Amino acid sequence: MTNSIGEIPSSEAFLVIGSNTTENHPVIGSMIKHEVIHRGKKLVVADPRRIELARIADVYLPIRPGTNVAILNGFMHVILKEGLYDKAYIDERCEGFEALIPVLEKYTPEHVAGICGLANPDDIVKAARILAAAKPMALYYSMGITQFISGVNGVKSTANLQMMLGNVGKTGGGVNPLRGQNNVQGACDMGALSALLPAYQPVIVPANREKFEKAWGMCGCSLPEKPGLTIIEMMNAAARGDLKAMYVMGENPVVSDPNTEHVIEAMEKLDLLIVQDIFLTETARLAHVVLPSCAFLEKEGTVTNTERRVQFMNKVVTPPGDARDDWWITQQLARRMGLQWNYTRAEEVFEEIRTVTPSYAGITWKRARETKVQWPCPAVDHPGTPTLHKEKFARGKGLFTAIEYTPPAEVVDREYPLTLTTGRILEHFHTGTMSRNSRILDELVPHGFIEMSRADAAALDLVDGEMVAVSSRRGSIRIRLRISPRPTPNVVFIPFHFFEAAANRLTIDALDPTCKIPEYKVCACRVEKLVAGDGGAAC
Amino acid sequence: MLTTADIRKVVESYGTAREHLMLVLRDLQAMSGDNHLSTEVLKGVAQEMRLPESIVAGFVGFYSMFSVRPRARHVIRVCKSGPCHVVGASTIFRILSERFGLQPGTATPDGEFFLEACECLGVCSVAPAMMVDYDLHGNLTEERLVSILDGYRGKAASTGEQCGEETAGKAIVVNAPYPRRLLARVGHIDPTSIDSGIAAGNYSALKTVLSGMTPDQVVALVKESGLRGRGGAGFPAGVKWSFVDRKAPRRFVVCNADEGEPGTFKDRVLMEEDPHSVIEGMAICGFAIGATLGYIYVRGEYRRSIVRLEEAIRQARQRGWLGDRIQGTDFSFDLLIKEGGGAYVCGEETSLINSMEGRRGYPRFKPPFPGVAGFKNLPSNVNNVETFANVPIIVQHGAREYRSIGTANSFGPKLYCMAGHLRNPGLIEAPMGTTLVQLIETCGGLKEGSSFQFAQIGGSAGAIVGPADLELGMDFDQPLKKGLTLGSGSILVCDQSVCIVDFLRNVLSFFRHESCGQCVPCRVGTRQLYQLMDRIASGSGTPEDVEAMTTTAQIMKKASFCALGQSPIVPLQTALARFRDKLLDHCNPAHPCPVCSTGRGASKPLTAH
Amino acid sequence: MNESIRLTVDGRVVSGQKGQTILEVARNAGLDIPTLCHHPRISRTGACRICLVRVNGTALKTACTEPAADGMNVVSEDAELASVRRSILEMLLAEGHHNCLFCDANGDCEFQDLCHRYGIEEPRQPLPGRRRTTDTTSSKGLRRNEDRCVLCGRCVKACGEVQMLGVWDFTGRGDRTELTADCGGPVGESSCALCGTCAQLCPTGALTLQPVNGTAPTWETRKQTSVCIYCGVGCQIDFHTDSKGRLLYANGNENGPNNGHLCVKGRFGFDFVQHPERIRTPLVRRDGKLVEASWEEALDYAAARLSEIKAANGPDSIAGLASAKVTNEENYLFQKFMRTGVGTNNVDHCARL
């Protein structure tokens, strides 16, 4: 997030696009609802499903999955046409606006409504005016923007809109991606990325490598310069036989990655699979070595939340059996591989992080424990940075990027006539390793389901609660049908938490060309009634 | 069965804003056929109005005119408040039980009638009274009761203003020896015709205001007149007007027509018989405080008041006395009506505002006062109906003449609501400060065979006065000196047949029923007080119980959120000062009280006036 | 904008800002005024009347709603105020059915604390019992026992102002007032999202959380703060454990970005940590089966195999997946290990998934 959770009360309006906030980031969802309901703030929601926030929105736009760029360009078209953009801000703080103008030309409300499947083009105009009138307006998004082959374009479009309206660098404004995991921000900050060293320093830049070689005391040895493989590329390399070994710490790619069949096949080909986890997950079952690690309440250390706040996790309980801290296990492996590591406490690791990660330089465990400190925080006497790009953009000028809408990788056809979109539900999390092993959460929602509109269900002669077959070009699953007012017709939704009814057996592993994110949010599928004797009619 | 489409249609007719909840639910209940709101209907309303279901359910649960259980085609509401109680309300209940098998809270097997005991219906001059659907019936006797109810059999529930003929315009005590200003037009004009009102002087004051006065001058004039609020608290109206925050983008004039104080019916008479006087007073206030919109919050039981006001507003708009650019001036002002749902506490101005907004009628803490943050959190000036009706008089006659009426610090005319064992009960307009005995005599004294035992002045929240207090001047300040209050100006005269213990039990059951329940002292205290008095009345009380009541009422006085909980000490303490022995007598099981022991108080023969 | 004011509370001069209530100013100054319906996370109520204080010698005002004003003289407690507070507590005790012995909140009850503080034992004037709703089974997350409800309204506001669902409201009136969940059915069938904020804010045992993993007397539990493991909001949570280290329940911590709020996962989704199926020892695959091994065995085996593969196929034949579920320190070390120990940039995690 460019801005802070605490700034929500300062926003005069919200654009929520590609985020089912009240289910996936419920605490922030409630905060936004509070502003809208009790303080009369404006809300525009664009989402293929009639999510809870849609109920209270001033304008709700039920866009087709994969059409984010079009709707955002549509807003910008109206804002440009009606002269509602912040000219002074653009002149002073941004560049590249001229290049954007001709691209926006064709994104008329009618054209966009056609792409997005909206009945009323006027809604786009109405929404754009609301978004332009309220200052500051905050844009919130999540995986509903990013998990497309056009994910990077979607992200850039959100930035285009917010810069056009002068909302970046303003308290209560900003472009605010909601991160989906408790330390996904920190994992990125720490350089757990194939092309980036800690603090987003590209590995490809020699100076960066030199810096780390020195800091890490590599005496003569050099860091690999070629960017590595991303997660899906790893699976592909393993399937090809190019990748021989994997060391997996606390992840469950068998359930979390798209195209499950392909993932299992790839992992089974590995000569060595080391899995370090708290449960014998679907992935761990395939491993050659399983290393038991501590769960979050059994260790101490820092995590960084979606607003870049570095927070301290205390040890609450003792680990079971012989389970160990992840850092201890990694160090043991490192020492056996010839590294002279001798960290005795996690805090020593953090002290090292401070020296190589400029944005963390001013943060100590003590500060993380006692105060609310957000990076960048370059020095111990620096208060931290609640709002990014405040005086000027991190890169100097905010860069507009002209972006065209491109359709998703797979579109519906006669064979696979429905659009499948996936995501999470309130009661569960990711691959279910944690939530499905929590008694109450498991009891609340014990089974996976496919959410379908009443009209689609009627057309297929399906009733609520029956087991159905769902197939895509990659696989097929059986799953319980839930008829719901949420999805728009011809769109179905499956939460991906349930291995026995795994959405990712269906999803496509097409990737965004830049950031290699898989297109989880849209693929073509088919839903069929199970015939008698086929194990159907479970309810 | 109401369908989703029915619900949607009703919601659409008012709008989805929460403030319309009362009317949406009222209409749907009327459409149900058996006067109830099913869970499905509540859910449907929540869905259509985009409200949490609990808010709709909680709203319905607060107002006594709603029911979530099926009732019957016709709902009979028999008044059990003081003025009806002392003239035999319990006999009505007995008859309904004997002749129709009806107990409060039950229906006849044929689904025709459902009986409810209710609080004051505001027709105390014809007590005992009841309301069937929206029709009021007074002067009930056994024969009348039976024939009235027979007339409803097989018919659809009425929603109109039939109201019972005997209450129409006849609530006024004739031949009162005082000049009539507030009631000048009452009985002489056709309240359904603005022409008739204008011919008799309606809107001449507004005309005066609009032809040359400034808002500040109007506020100054009302201040100078010394007009004090007629709702009960007696706060200077002009001062209140001057407190209204002028910086906010909009302001509202609100008329408190939630006349719920038992024994009070003055506002009803004004609204029904001279509606334009209220409208005119509100418009002048709107001019003075810079408001362009006003609301009249009328208690839901006052169907005829609502109908007459609606018609009067319609005609006033037609004639340019309401709406845009009134009489071609720059001043625009319009009025809307809000309805109550059967909750006495909504007479408290902040409860009233909550109720207007579609909320449970809980009082709000002050500050902020309504003049700063009232309806929709915008500055709102709330005055009583009678207060507004005084405004045109002040404008027309000037502050000086106005101040010549009444007594020191209590200027102007006052409407006194006379009920109980009087020869001619009804409404009297008299100068502020007229003595109790003068008012009683104006009603022709007590009924044949009755002798004065005590009176309660100012409604249920008012003081009990005895024969020694008859010379008391009925203004704001003189009663205060004796620890009494004028209140709304109602005077309930009780003869020797009334037992003070039974009477107090009735008063305390009223408070228990009407406490909103928000604050602890009132919610629990009203229940404790009723329980103690009931124990004393039933002969099992002790002298300690009498003291415990005083203690509880004193805590309530100190700690309650609003005036409702602060009030029970007044009747209790004034009664104890005059009738302590009678309470103690009741604590002696050897002397059972013939009145109290019947449980529901005196069962009296009913005789028509 | 912020206008500074000075007032006297119990003879002490304290300062505050215009717009603050007497209570806020007093509490900031470390002065204690008892409250029951007030909670800093919800709007002002002023209904319980416990916080009545004497202002400028005479008037009794609720400290939680009365704006503090410059020059004000406040007395937080004197004989009369204490007697009013005692009476209110007695009234509440008479109205409900408070039996601490059987109450989930015993030892963690603001009402109980106040009764202790003011020496209340039994109400002087008991009221005949009018039992309200008890429903401890319909909801997987909430237990409801309205006999212990003091009708303070915190739950109503917790749901209506914090969680923003409005499951709870009051219905009825006067002494018939009670809670309704939605249109009145069991709370387990309501629109409740099980955030548990109502129970967290309930000052008595009227609304409590279903036990996740067992219960213990409140005075034997220990509290430690950590950060929620689920989404990226980073809610701070106070985890309560019993003397044996068993995780019992979780409350939102008000210093976190969540301001004390939680969702159903943060509230109830922690017992996986103590799930019997947690892996307790390293496992190594032998003859196709994963069998228990010592740390030495497992680590030696893993490191040896990695080294062999690296030697045979080069460092880029090895890849590592770090985790969005572990700490910064652990992610940092992991990528450092992959880059320096293995010598590859093949490191990623599920940031995009």
Side-chain angles (χ1 to χ4, degrees):
Chain A
M1 286 169 67
T2 59
N3 293 52
S4 299
I5 297 168
E7 291 174 31
I8 290 173
S10 311
S11 304
E12 288 302 318
F14 303 89
L15 168 59
V16 176
I17 177 165
S19 160
N20 182 6
T21 324
T22 56
E23 290 207 52
N24 290 333
H25 300 89
V27 166
I28 288 179
S30 294
M31 290 174 178
I32 292 175
K33 279 183 85 177
H34 179 93
E35 296 304 308
V36 174
I37 292 175
H38 289 304
R39 302 185 66 206
K41 306 291 180 64
K42 299 289 176 191
L43 174 65
V44 173
V45 173
D47 200 286
R49 297 161 68 216
R50 185 174 286 276
I51 55 172
E52 190 186 333
L53 282 181
R55 280 190 65 192
I56 58 161
D58 293 279
V59 181
Y60 165 56
L61 302 159
I63 58 171
R64 281 195 189 114
T67 61
N68 293 315
V69 171
I71 193 77
L72 290 166
N73 278 349
F75 294 151
M76 287 186 268
H77 175 95
V78 175
I79 290 164
L80 186 69
K81 265 269 148 70
E82 302 192 357
L84 305 174
Y85 54 97
D86 188 338
K87 189 167 183 314
Y89 179 93
I90 294 168
D91 289 349
E92 191 188 330
R93 299 195 49 185
C94 306
E95 60 190 11
F97 186 56
E98 306 69 35
L100 184 64
I101 294 170
V103 171
L104 294 180
E105 187 57 37
K106 68 170 167 294
Y107 290 91
T108 62
E110 294 70 26
H111 179 59
V112 171
I115 297 173
C116 299
L118 299 173
N120 189 355
D122 288 345
D123 285 348
I124 299 170
V125 180
K126 193 175 158 200
R129 287 177 185 159
I130 288 172
L131 297 173
K135 302 278 181 200
M137 180 271 285
L139 187 152
Y140 284 82
Y141 73 81
S142 192
M143 294 306 201
I145 282 281
T146 54
Q147 287 180 338
F148 296 100
I149 56 166
S150 60
V152 169
N153 286 345
V155 171
K156 286 182 176 167
S157 297
T158 61
N160 282 346
L161 174 67
Q162 285 298 65
M163 289 191 295
M164 201 166 164
L165 292 170
N167 281 323
V168 181
K170 302 271 176 71
T171 300
V175 178
N176 300 292
L178 298 171
R179 309 303 307 255
Q181 308 233 15
N182 105 317
N183 199 31
V184 65
Q185 183 70 52
C188 294
D189 298 346
M190 293 302 110
L193 295 167
S194 59
L196 300 170
L197 289 157
Y200 306 93
Q201 305 178 64
V203 72
I204 205 157
V205 176
N208 292 339
R209 290 201 303 278
E210 259 167 55
K211 190 160 59 182
F212 279 90
E213 282 157 7
K214 202 169 147 208
W216 289 346
M218 292 180 71
C219 52
C221 303
S222 55
L223 280 169
E225 58 190 74
K226 188 172 71 112
L229 302 172
T230 64
I231 194 161
I232 306 301
E233 291 170 328
M234 288 177 193
M235 298 307 158
N236 293 337
R240 285 195 308 272
D242 295 344
L243 195 71
K244 304 290 185 193
M246 278 188 86
Y247 173 22
V248 178
M249 171 175 73
E251 300 241 319
N252 188 10
V254 167
V255 185
S256 64
D257 291 17
N259 199 350
T260 307
E261 293 302 334
H262 176 70
V263 173
I264 293 174
E265 186 193 341
M267 298 215 111
E268 281 176 343
K269 273 198 171 171
L270 291 170
D271 292 343
L272 175 67
L273 175 61
I274 305 167
V275 174
Q276 182 171 314
D277 212 318
I278 60 171
F279 282 101
L280 202 60
T281 62
E282 291 77 7
T283 305
R285 286 175 210 281
L286 306 176
H288 301 91
V289 183
V290 178
L291 305 171
S293 57
C294 292
F296 77 119
L297 294 177
E298 296 158 358
K299 58 180 161 195
E300 54 181 19
T302 59
V303 287
T304 307
N305 78 349
T306 191
E307 54 169 353
R308 299 165 280 106
R309 193 195 287 201
V310 180
Q311 302 197 97
F312 195 78
M313 299 213 300
N314 282 301
K315 181 171 171 173
V316 180
V317 292
T318 49
D322 234 355
R324 298 293 170 93
D325 283 316
D326 286 286
W327 68 264
W328 181 89
I329 302 171
T330 305
Q331 170 162 284
Q332 290 301 315
L333 281 175
R335 289 162 67 111
R336 283 168 173 76
M337 303 264 305
L339 297 175
Q340 303 302 308
W341 287 6
N342 215 353
Y343 302 103
T344 58
R345 296 174 57 230
E347 188 168 10
E348 292 169 19
V349 181
F350 193 81
E351 285 302 309
E352 181 178 319
I353 291 169
R354 291 178 61 201
T355 62
V356 295
T357 313
S359 50
Y360 280 63
I363 303 170
T364 61
W365 269 25
K366 187 165 182 291
R367 280 188 83 178
R369 272 199 186 98
E370 290 167 3
T371 54
K372 305 172 176 184
V373 54
Q374 287 164 275
W375 68 255
C377 178
V380 283
D381 56 356
H382 187 283
T385 312
T387 311
L388 294 180
H389 317 301
K390 196 113 198 189
E391 306 303 324
K392 64 181 181 63
F393 281 87
R395 69 180 286 278
K397 294 243 174 184
L399 179 66
F400 283 101
T401 321
I403 291 167
E404 294 282 5
Y405 162 75
T406 49
E410 193 175 63
V411 290
V412 295
D413 54 22
R414 273 180 55 197
E415 198 180 352
Y416 296 102
L418 296 171
T419 302
L420 168 67
T421 186
T422 66
R424 294 179 182 161
I425 59 171
L426 173 67
E427 293 83 358
H428 284 294
F429 186 77
H430 222 59
T431 69
T433 307
M434 299 185 295
S435 62
R436 296 191 75 195
N437 281 314
S438 294
R439 182 182 59 82
I440 288 177
L441 300 180
D442 181 50
E443 285 175 9
L444 284 169
V445 186
H447 307 294
F449 57 88
I450 180 169
E451 208 179 67
M452 183 183 255
S453 71
R454 186 164 294 283
D456 288 346
L460 293 164
D461 188 28
L462 301 173
V463 296
D464 194 39
E466 78 173 277
M467 295 298 285
V468 298
V470 188
S471 354
S472 75
R473 290 191 172 81
R474 289 146 300 277
S476 172
I477 60 169
R478 283 181 187 180
I479 194 166
R480 205 174 296 267
L481 179 75
R482 185 185 279 185
I483 293 177
S484 158
R486 287 184 167 196
T488 44
N490 301 317
V491 174
V492 291
F493 168 81
I494 303 180
F496 68 96
H497 315 294
F498 304 91
F499 180 68
E500 67 280 9
N504 284 329
R505 286 185 187 275
L506 310 171
T507 49
I508 187 167
D509 44 3
L511 303 182
D512 179 280
T514 313
C515 85
K516 319 288 185 190
I517 195 165
E519 189 155 68
Y520 286 106
K521 294 296 184 196
V522 50
C523 73
C525 77
R526 176 173 72 220
V527 177
E528 290 161 299
K529 201 175 180 72
L530 288 174
V531 289
D534 203 12
C539 283
Chain B
M1 273 290 285
L2 292 169
T3 64
T4 312
D6 293 332
I7 295 169
R8 184 167 302 156
K9 212 168 134 192
V10 171
V11 170
E12 275 169 5
S13 70
Y14 292 106
T16 55
R18 183 170 176 175
E19 60 172 299
H20 304 304
L21 204 44
M22 186 77 79
L23 293 187
V24 166
L25 292 167
R26 182 201 67 181
D27 284 8
L28 288 168
Q29 177 165 283
M31 287 160 69
S32 71
D34 56 4
N35 281 294
H36 96 294
L37 291 161
S38 67
T39 305
E40 287 67 38
V41 169
L42 300 185
K43 284 177 188 287
V45 169
Q47 177 81 29
E48 292 300 323
M49 297 183 79
R50 298 212 264 179
L51 288 170
E53 289 179 9
S54 67
I55 282 180
V56 180
F59 184 86
V60 166
F62 189 86
Y63 295 99
S64 49
M65 291 177 77
F66 293 121
S67 172
V68 291
R69 276 177 289 280
R71 290 189 279 196
R73 192 202 309 257
H74 304 288
V75 176
I76 306 167
R77 292 183 175 89
V78 175
C79 173
K80 70 172 183 63
S81 288
C84 286
H85 181 75
V86 298
V87 297
S90 53
T91 309
I92 311 279
F93 287 107
R94 182 177 53 76
I95 296 165
L96 287 169
S97 168
E98 288 169 4
R99 300 285 293 263
F100 296 86
L102 277 170
Q103 312 298 327
T106 66
T108 50
D110 58 6
E112 281 286 352
F113 299 109
F114 184 89
L115 177 62
E116 280 177 8
C118 75
E119 301 298 352
C120 186
L121 294 166
V123 288
C124 317
S125 58
V126 293
M130 67 174 180
M131 189 162 86
V132 183
D133 305 331
Y134 279 116
D135 307 333
L136 286 160
H137 302 278
N139 290 327
L140 296 175
T141 61
E142 183 155 357
E143 299 71 48
R144 263 177 60 71
L145 188 58
V146 172
S147 81
I148 288 168
L149 292 186
D150 281 345
Y152 281 92
R153 278 188 195 284
K155 289 191 186 141
S158 68
T159 54
E161 65 149 330
Q162 182 193 334
C163 207
E165 200 196 324
E166 61 278 2
T167 65
K170 295 180 185 168
I172 293 176
V173 176
V174 289
N175 302 325
Y178 309 104
R180 281 166 57 163
R181 298 174 183 87
L182 287 164
L183 300 179
R185 284 175 290 270
V186 172
H188 302 298
I189 60 166
D190 173 3
T192 62
S193 156
I194 192 172
D195 291 335
S196 164
I198 289 173
N202 280 139
Y203 296 109
S204 56
L206 180 56
K207 196 170 180 180
T208 307
V209 166
L210 294 181
S211 48
M213 287 180 82
T214 65
D216 287 346
Q217 284 173 330
V218 178
V219 174
L221 174 70
V222 176
K223 265 190 189 171
E224 197 191 331
S225 74
L227 169 64
R228 292 171 68 175
R230 300 303 201 236
F235 192 81
V239 177
K240 201 172 191 177
W241 292 14
S242 71
F243 285 164
V244 176
D245 181 4
R246 305 294 184 90
K247 292 189 292 290
R250 282 188 300 157
R251 282 156 294 278
F252 299 111
V253 179
V254 177
C255 176
N256 183 344
D258 189 53
E259 185 171 62
E261 193 64 62
T264 312
F265 46 95
K266 62 193 179 65
D267 296 340
R268 180 178 64 77
V269 171
L270 285 173
M271 289 187 286
E272 290 178 9
E273 304 300 330
D274 189 8
H276 293 286
S277 69
V278 185
I279 296 171
E280 187 179 7
M282 290 182 72
I284 293 170
C285 176
F287 178 82
I289 67 167
T292 56
L293 189 56
Y295 289 90
I296 311 179
Y297 181 96
V298 192
R299 61 184 300 209
E301 294 89 339
Y302 278 11
R303 188 75 216 144
R304 177 150 68 185
S305 299
I306 293 164
V307 172
R308 294 252 169 111
L309 281 169
E310 277 169 350
E311 178 59 19
I313 290 169
R314 195 186 65 77
Q315 293 183 11
R317 284 185 192 136
Q318 215 168 42
R319 293 303 172 85
W321 290 108
L322 282 177
D324 281 347
R325 304 182 57 84
I326 291 176
Q327 302 297 310
T329 66
D330 287 340
F331 176 56
S332 298
F333 187 78
D334 207 349
L335 276 183
L336 295 170
I337 292 177
K338 291 272 179 193
E339 287 188 32
Y344 165 75
V345 74
C346 290
E348 201 282 340
E349 61 180 5
T350 57
S351 301
L352 181 145
I353 288 167
N354 268 337
S355 185
M356 284 171 64
E357 292 181 356
R359 296 170 197 277
R360 291 164 61 81
Y362 280 173
R364 298 176 178 178
F365 56 81
K366 297 181 268 194
F369 289 89
V372 175
F375 183 55
K376 296 180 177 174
N377 267 328
L378 290 162
S380 308
N381 178 71
V382 188
N383 285 126
N384 169 261
V385 172
E386 186 187 346
T387 313
F388 281 123
N390 269 278
V391 171
I393 296 169
I394 293 167
V395 171
Q396 268 177 313
H397 300 282
R400 178 186 288 229
E401 188 182 326
Y402 188 82
R403 287 172 74 95
S404 72
I405 310 162
T407 51
N409 230 358
S410 299
F411 306 108
K414 177 78 192 90
L415 298 178
Y416 296 96
C417 307
M418 307 298 293
H421 298 117
L422 294 165
R423 201 179 297 272
N424 302 307
L427 194 61
I428 300 173
E429 176 180 350
M432 272 281 186
T434 307
T435 63
L436 199 50
V437 68
Q438 285 170 327
L439 291 168
I440 291 173
E441 278 166 8
T442 304
C443 296
L446 271 72
K447 281 204 296 204
E448 188 74 38
S450 287
S451 62
F452 182 91
Q453 186 189 190
F454 66 86
Q456 187 175 29
I457 59 173
S460 281
I464 307 289
V465 298
D469 306 298
L470 283 168
E471 292 299 330
L472 187 67
M474 297 300 294
D475 62 13
F476 287 115
D477 296 335
Q478 294 180 57
L480 265 187
K481 285 178 200 143
K482 289 188 149 194
L484 316 172
T485 49
L486 173 66
S488 60
S490 70
I491 293 160
L492 171 58
V493 176
C494 296
D495 70 8
Q496 70 285 357
S497 69
V498 179
C499 170
I500 185 70
V501 174
D502 175 60
F503 184 85
L504 288 172
R505 174 171 60 177
N506 179 267
V507 166
L508 294 174
S509 93
F510 171 80
F511 283 117
R512 179 185 177 184
H513 185 252
E514 296 299 339
S515 167
C516 80
Q518 182 178 218
C519 80
V520 181
C522 179
R523 180 179 77 235
V524 185
T526 51
R527 182 167 163 207
Q528 285 180 329
L529 288 181
Y530 173 76
Q531 184 189 318
L532 287 167
M533 194 60 88
D534 189 47
R535 193 148 76 196
I536 293 166
S538 59
S540 53
T542 64
E544 290 73 39
D545 288 342
V546 178
E547 302 317 313
M549 278 197 299
T550 316
T551 313
T552 300
Q554 263 159 356
I555 294 291
M556 292 167 67
K557 165 84 182 150
K558 286 176 192 168
S560 290
F561 199 114
C562 79
L564 194 155
Q566 294 164 4
S567 296
I569 188 74
V570 178
L572 208 57
Q573 211 159 37
T574 50
L576 275 172
R578 290 161 181 83
F579 299 101
R580 180 178 292 268
D581 289 352
K582 292 208 170 162
L583 270 83
L584 293 176
D585 283 351
H586 279 70
C587 298
N588 181 354
H591 297 95
C593 169
V595 178
C596 293
S597 56
T598 58
R600 283 200 153 270
S603 185
K604 315 189 163 198
L606 299 171
T607 48
H609 282 293
Chain C
M1 206 166 84
N2 284 341
E3 197 180 316
S4 186
I5 49 171
R6 284 157 68 82
L7 48 152
T8 311
V9 182
D10 295 338
R12 240 184 82 184
V13 177
V14 296
S15 56
Q17 304 293 324
K18 199 173 175 197
Q20 283 185 306
T21 60
I22 294 173
L23 183 72
E24 285 161 352
V25 173
R27 288 205 169 157
N28 284 347
L31 295 163
D32 176 37
I33 297 174
T35 54
L36 194 55
C37 68
H38 168 83
H39 195 284
R41 287 177 58 202
I42 51 176
S43 63
R44 298 166 189 175
T45 302
C48 75
R49 321 303 286 171
I50 288 285
C51 72
L52 281 170
V53 293
R54 191 177 302 282
V55 175
N56 295 337
T58 51
L60 300 191
K61 303 277 185 188
T62 42
C64 71
T65 61
E66 189 69 12
D70 208 32
M72 206 176 227
N73 183 15
V74 176
V75 174
S76 75
E77 184 151 311
D78 56 22
E80 188 186 9
L81 288 168
S83 108
V84 167
R85 286 174 188 159
R86 262 194 295 276
S87 300
I88 291 169
L89 293 170
E90 279 186 20
M91 283 175 165
L92 285 172
L93 213 49
E95 181 187 40
H97 182 75
H98 297 273
N99 187 334
C100 302
L101 191 57
F102 301 110
C103 181
D104 296 345
N106 188 13
D108 182 23
C109 172
E110 294 175 45
F111 180 52
Q112 189 182 38
D113 293 346
L114 285 171
C115 286
H116 280 305
R117 176 169 170 176
Y118 287 94
I120 313 297
E121 287 176 350
E122 260 184 276
R124 271 176 293 184
Q125 199 198 330
L127 288 161
R130 203 184 68 80
R131 292 296 178 93
R132 294 188 290 232
T133 309
T134 300
D135 167 15
T136 56
T137 53
S138 78
S139 166
K140 300 218 179 283
L142 289 180
R143 294 163 61 83
R144 173 182 185 183
N145 187 337
E146 278 190 66
D147 284 338
R148 283 147 195 171
C149 176
V150 291
L151 297 168
C152 67
R154 283 191 195 176
C155 55
V156 174
K157 290 187 170 183
C159 203
E161 297 177 6
V162 179
Q163 172 60 23
M164 299 305 302
L165 277 177
V167 172
W168 296 116
D169 202 349
F170 289 128
T171 187
R173 190 169 79 197
D175 63 349
R176 288 91 59 213
T177 306
E178 58 186 344
L179 289 174
T180 178
D182 286 358
C183 275
V187 62
E189 291 167 25
S190 72
S191 54
C192 171
L194 293 171
C195 76
T197 305
C198 55
Q200 182 172 332
L201 262 56
C202 178
T204 71
L207 290 174
T208 53
L209 300 171
Q210 292 285 11
V212 173
N213 207 11
T215 55
T218 49
W219 50 87
E220 286 180 13
T221 64
R222 188 178 146 268
K223 180 177 91 176
Q224 181 64 279
T225 307
S226 193
V227 180
C228 180
I229 192 64
Y230 292 102
C231 78
V233 176
C235 298
Q236 288 197 8
I237 306 180
D238 295 335
F239 289 96
H240 295 254
T241 50
D242 69 7
S243 53
K244 295 188 202 76
R246 190 170 51 154
L247 284 162
L248 297 176
Y249 62 96
N251 274 336
N253 180 299
E254 289 172 23
N255 298 317
N258 47 321
N259 298 333
H261 191 201
L262 292 179
C263 77
V264 62
K265 293 188 288 292
R267 179 76 63 186
F268 295 112
F270 54 80
D271 51 322
F272 73 88
V273 169
Q274 299 185 327
H275 195 283
E277 287 171 21
R278 279 285 300 278
I279 325 175
R280 303 168 67 88
T281 58
L283 306 170
V284 174
R285 191 169 294 276
R286 293 208 173 98
D287 305 325
K289 271 202 201 111
L290 284 170
V291 294
E292 292 188 359
S294 70
W295 273 107
E296 285 301 313
E297 286 172 284
L299 290 165
D300 287 349
Y301 174 78
R305 290 288 292 132
L306 279 175
S307 300
E308 281 167 31
I309 291 168
K310 179 180 167 185
N313 303 293
D316 285 341
S317 67
I318 301 172
L321 286 181
S323 175
K325 287 279 150 295
V326 306
T327 63
N328 289 325
E329 292 79 0
E330 289 161 338
N331 274 300
Y332 172 81
L333 273 197
F334 188 90
Q335 61 86 32
K336 185 177 171 185
F337 167 70
M338 291 305 294
R339 289 186 161 116
T340 63
V342 176
T344 178
N345 281 317
N346 288 341
V347 54
D348 198 7
H349 70 286
C350 65
R352 305 171 191 85
L353 312 185

